[in-house]
């Protein structure tokens, strides 16, 4: 497996890329865990022996709306290389900010307006977040020119935003969703979970239990309301807990359309997000 510090080096130094074998791309911010591993394995499986699986590790400053979240974001380069190798990657690229933002890292990325997708939920609570995500993912797609890119359902709204970006600007690209990988007690794996104390780690699983209660009620708003109140009584500070249309992310669900239950909570000094599916 190749380990490169720029896309330029990867493109010029990589036989299979210059031979134009199909690139299957997994963008990440590092501190890799089994959730990222599932994306890499899905890419490997789809790529077969001929395709080229490339993982990028870049902590993108423009998608952080909180400076301390950025400064304490975990960085585990050697372990990331090991995990990517074990999951079947052909290359891991650690690009620099100079390469990702040749004109300099902007204080705020250029705005992207995809309607409700970039206005509600995460967008409302993290101003500028999706502008940064779109800016960096566009640059990553341009650098890698993939046939397929793999994104986790864990970040459901991000997945919807990337699907829109691809439909508008990269119509040939296949955006492949990968189901959320969870710890045994249901907590969605996340690079930020390392910041939870063991006590707070225990209380974090309540998020998934609350989501499941809403699924059992077939997405009843009253159940979401009740579960939200219970979480807040336990000390969670919710940004949102909502039953939405899985595609448009609008709060109103039409009969027969797939839904999604979305949640974001501040707990133990960490902002946790999660979501689950509702049948149509
Ligand atoms: P991140 O490094 O957190 O920016 O995530 C990189 C990619 O991994 C994104 O597409 C995430 O949605 C995905 N991802 C993160 N955590 C998980 C998880 N627990 N299960 C599946 N995918 C995940």
């Amino acid at each position: 497996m190749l380990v490169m510090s720029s896309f330029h080096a990867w493109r010029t130094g990589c036989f299979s890329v210059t031979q134009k074998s199909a690139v299957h791309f997994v963008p990440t911010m590092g501190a890799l865990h089994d959730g990222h591993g599932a994306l890499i394995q899905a890419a490997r499986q789809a790529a077969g022996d001929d395709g080229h699986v490339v993982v990028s590790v870049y902590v993108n400053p423009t998608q952080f709306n909180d400076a301390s979240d950025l400064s304490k974001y975990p960085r585990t380069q050697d372990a990331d290389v090991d995990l990517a190798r074990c999951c079947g990657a052909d290359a891991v690229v650690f690009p620099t900010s100079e390469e990702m933002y040749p004109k300099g890292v902007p204080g705020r990325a250029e705005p992207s307006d995809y309607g409700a997708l970039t206005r509600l939920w995460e967008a409302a609570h993290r101003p500028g977040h999706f502008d940064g995500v779109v800016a960096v993912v566009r640059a990553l797609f341009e650098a890698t020119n993939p046939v397929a890119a793999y994104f986790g359902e864990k970040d459901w709204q991000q997945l919807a935003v990337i699907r829109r970006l691809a439909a508008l600007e990269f119509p040939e690209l296949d955006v492949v969703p990968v189901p959320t990988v969870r710890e045994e007690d249901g907590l969605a794996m996340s690079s930020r979970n390392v910041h939870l104390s063991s006590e707070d780690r225990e209380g974090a699983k309540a998020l998934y239990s609350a989501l499941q209660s809403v699924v059992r009620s077939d997405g009843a708003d009253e159940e979401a309301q009740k579960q939200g109140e219970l979480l807040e009584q336990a000390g969670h500070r919710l940004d949102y807990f909502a039953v939405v249309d899985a595609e448009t992310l609008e709060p109103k669900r039409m009969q027969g359309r797939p839904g999604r239950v979305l949640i974001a909570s501040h707990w133990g000094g960490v902002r946790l997000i999660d979501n689950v599916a509702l049948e149509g």
Side-chain angles (χ1 to χ4, degrees):
M1 189 186 73
L2 297 166
V3 180
M4 302 300 219
S5 55
S6 73
F7 287 111
H8 176 75
W10 167 70
R11 261 192 315 271
T12 50
C14 178
F15 174 76
S16 38
V17 173
T18 51
Q19 290 306 298
K20 299 256 180 281
S21 79
V23 170
H24 291 251
F25 178 45
V26 181
T28 81
M29 296 205 298
L32 301 186
H33 50 66
D34 288 351
H36 299 108
L39 270 58
I40 300 168
Q41 284 166 341
R44 177 77 274 152
Q45 189 158 15
D49 292 338
D50 296 335
H52 181 87
V53 175
V54 60
V55 177
S56 67
V57 175
Y58 177 63
V59 183
N60 173 35
T62 65
Q63 72 187 73
F64 285 80
N65 54 318
D66 172 347
S68 85
D69 187 24
L70 173 60
S71 65
K72 67 180 195 196
Y73 200 83
R75 287 162 169 87
T76 59
Q77 195 156 329
D78 293 344
D80 291 350
V81 168
D82 290 345
L83 187 140
R85 183 183 289 112
C86 288
C87 292
D90 294 303
V92 185
V93 183
F94 293 87
T96 59
S97 283
E98 288 70 31
E99 186 172 36
M100 297 315 300
Y101 294 98
K103 294 185 193 148
V105 180
R108 209 168 155 161
E110 207 178 296
S112 300
D113 185 357
Y114 298 162
L117 302 186
T118 47
R119 287 183 199 173
L120 299 175
W121 320 123
E122 283 300 282
H125 288 275
R126 302 186 66 189
H129 169 66
F130 286 124
D131 300 332
V133 169
V134 168
V136 81
V137 173
R138 179 189 288 122
L140 290 165
F141 286 170
E142 284 167 355
T144 52
N145 192 25
V147 295
Y150 299 76
F151 290 85
E153 293 184 353
K154 153 87 168 41
D155 299 282
W156 185 260
Q157 188 170 1
Q158 171 174 276
L159 174 62
V161 167
I162 301 301
R163 280 178 163 143
R164 184 69 59 85
L165 167 70
L168 292 171
E169 300 181 29
F170 303 89
E172 304 290 309
L173 172 63
D174 192 9
V175 175
V176 182
V178 177
T180 303
V181 177
R182 300 181 178 282
E183 305 286 357
E184 260 178 34
D185 63 5
L187 178 66
M189 289 191 180
S190 163
S191 303
R192 291 181 178 89
N193 290 353
V194 296
H195 296 312
L196 290 169
S197 68
S198 53
E199 201 178 313
D200 290 331
R201 169 65 192 77
E202 184 60 23
K205 67 185 181 197
L207 227 60
Y208 185 55
S209 312
L211 287 170
Q212 284 181 309
S213 297
V214 178
V215 171
R216 280 195 298 273
S217 78
D218 197 23
D221 286 328
E222 308 73 52
E223 184 63 20
Q225 175 83 23
K226 182 180 137 201
Q227 291 299 327
E229 282 165 14
L230 289 171
L231 284 170
E232 293 198 310
Q233 280 161 23
H236 282 262
R237 184 162 61 80
L238 296 183
D239 277 350
Y240 55 82
F241 188 6
V243 179
V244 305
D245 182 289
E247 208 176 299
T248 66
L249 299 196
E250 297 279 2
K252 193 106 188 86
R253 267 215 309 151
M254 306 287 266
Q255 273 299 339
R257 280 185 55 81
R260 210 83 197 173
V261 194
L262 309 179
I263 193 165
S265 169
H266 299 262
W267 172 256
V270 178
R271 188 169 179 278
L272 303 168
I273 68 168
D274 200 352
N275 69 88
V276 290
L278 283 173
E279 295 306 315

